[in-house]
Amino acid sequence: MAAGGPTPKFTEYHIWKALMVMSETRPVGRKSLSAALNIGEGSTRTILDIFCDEGYIVVTKSGAVLSEKGKKAKDQVRMDVSPLTVDDLTIGAVNCAVRIKGASKKITYGCEERDAAIKAGATGATTLVCIGNKLIFPGSEYPVTPHVESAIRKEFRIGNGDAVIIGTAGDREKAEKGAVSAAIRLIGGIRLNRSALDIPFQRNANKELISLAFTIHDLMGRLPVCARSKDNLGIRIEDGAVIDNTYTGEVLEEAMDLGTTIRRVATSGPYKGIKVIVAPLEVDGEVVGAVGVVDIKAMAGIDNPIRRYESDE
């Protein structure tokens, strides 16, 4: 339970996935759709209720099928999705790539896509754009290796102006969820009549906080960094990757509650016994979050206190 309410039980990714599943299976019942989305039947029922309100489905005795309006909605958010093996490009054990037609101009450096993928549960994401019929890293003129380009073109028909987002994680579902969530953000989200519905969608409101946390992580020589906003569970970053995207900690909470910087030894959690320093983040005089790092002053003569502590257990 976050300070602002429960963690969302489904996101726009699940809305997208439901549209894709229902376009391939006719008709589909609530139980089978719940299994395909890997969420509870209650959340699945809410999605079906939303689709009913939007006129996206027609309910029959055998299940639900997409209406003509639903098919149009599906076509608007359809994207090419495929598993991908490019071990030399990504950091996770499993990769999933998404091709978004004509989206290269919407991408700057790929940071926002990476942050959206991480927020969705992936370990990270790599974004590529096709310019001059070559796949390159956005914001540069550097092409990917011939091996990587060949692997991607084997899965997709890439054209000039297309973008490819490769989500990476420890399993297929998280990799797909990360890549697709980043792509949904890129195309502007799934357009529903949200003003009339109380939908617990996961938002990208924390993307600036995630970017800040990664920047601090790099500046601190990749020392562990934790961050969270007041209304959402946070992240824990180590060795260049998010290892926990539903993290909170006693010192983070204390810094937000008191609105002041806290420097002390953690007494619980993964940093138990380690001296940390956490500072609150303020916007217009209001505390909106906190960022914490291992206290450098307490690290003299210690190469990696986190690993040392874990090995002592």
Side-chain angles (χ1 to χ4, degrees), residues 57-130:
I57 59 174
V58 176
V59 180
T60 69
K61 292 182 178 179
S62 301
V65 296
L66 288 181
S67 66
E68 289 303 314
K69 185 178 180 181
K71 292 176 183 177
K72 290 180 180 179
K74 178 261 298 179
D75 291 339
Q76 289 175 351
V77 295
R78 191 176 187 88
M79 56 192 77
D80 297 324
V81 181
S82 175
L84 188 68
T85 302
V86 283
D87 297 336
D88 53 343
L89 184 66
T90 59
I91 59 176
V94 180
N95 302 313
C96 181
V98 175
R99 167 189 172 260
I100 311 99
K101 183 176 177 61
S104 64
K105 292 183 178 179
K106 298 181 180 180
I107 295 171
T108 52
Y109 297 101
C111 298
E112 292 186 344
E113 288 69 42
R114 177 203 66 191
D115 294 347
I118 290 172
K119 188 67 177 175
T123 305
T126 301
T127 302
L128 303 171
V129 294
C130 185

Side-chain angles (χ1 to χ4, degrees), residues 75-254:
D75 291 339
Q76 289 175 351
V77 295
R78 191 176 187 88
M79 56 192 77
D80 297 324
V81 181
S82 175
L84 188 68
T85 302
V86 283
D87 297 336
D88 53 343
L89 184 66
T90 59
I91 59 176
V94 180
N95 302 313
C96 181
V98 175
R99 167 189 172 260
I100 311 99
K101 183 176 177 61
S104 64
K105 292 183 178 179
K106 298 181 180 180
I107 295 171
T108 52
Y109 297 101
C111 298
E112 292 186 344
E113 288 69 42
R114 177 203 66 191
D115 294 347
I118 290 172
K119 188 67 177 175
T123 305
T126 301
T127 302
L128 303 171
V129 294
C130 185
I131 306 295
N133 205 33
K134 293 182 179 180
L135 284 170
I136 66 173
F137 294 96
S140 75
E141 296 180 357
Y142 297 108
V144 298
T145 64
H147 165 71
V148 171
E149 176 132 7
S150 176
I152 294 174
R153 288 188 180 275
K154 184 178 179 180
E155 301 297 334
F156 306 120
R157 294 186 63 180
I158 305 293
N160 277 326
D162 290 354
V164 176
I165 300 174
I166 305 169
T168 185
D171 59 63
R172 167 65 192 274
E173 182 181 5
K174 290 181 180 178
E176 179 186 274
K177 189 176 179 182
V180 170
S181 297
I184 291 173
R185 189 209 65 81
L186 188 63
I187 64 176
I190 297 177
R191 297 169 181 83
L192 294 170
N193 183 24
R194 297 180 183 129
S195 61
L197 299 168
D198 182 19
I199 305 173
F201 280 121
Q202 182 175 347
R203 295 302 182 192
N204 290 323
N206 286 338
K207 64 183 181 182
E208 293 86 357
L209 182 60
I210 296 174
S211 296
L212 174 62
F214 267 102
T215 299
I216 295 173
H217 182 59
D218 289 338
L219 289 173
M220 298 286 289
R222 293 203 163 189
L223 288 175
V225 173
C226 303
R228 65 157 293 183
S229 70
K230 204 163 188 177
D231 294 332
N232 291 280
L233 292 176
I235 58 171
R236 183 158 67 95
I237 303 172
E238 289 187 17
D239 298 325
V242 173
I243 61 175
D244 187 347
N245 66 348
T246 58
Y247 178 76
T248 190
E250 57 175 284
V251 190
L252 282 174
E253 299 285 351
E254 186 177 346

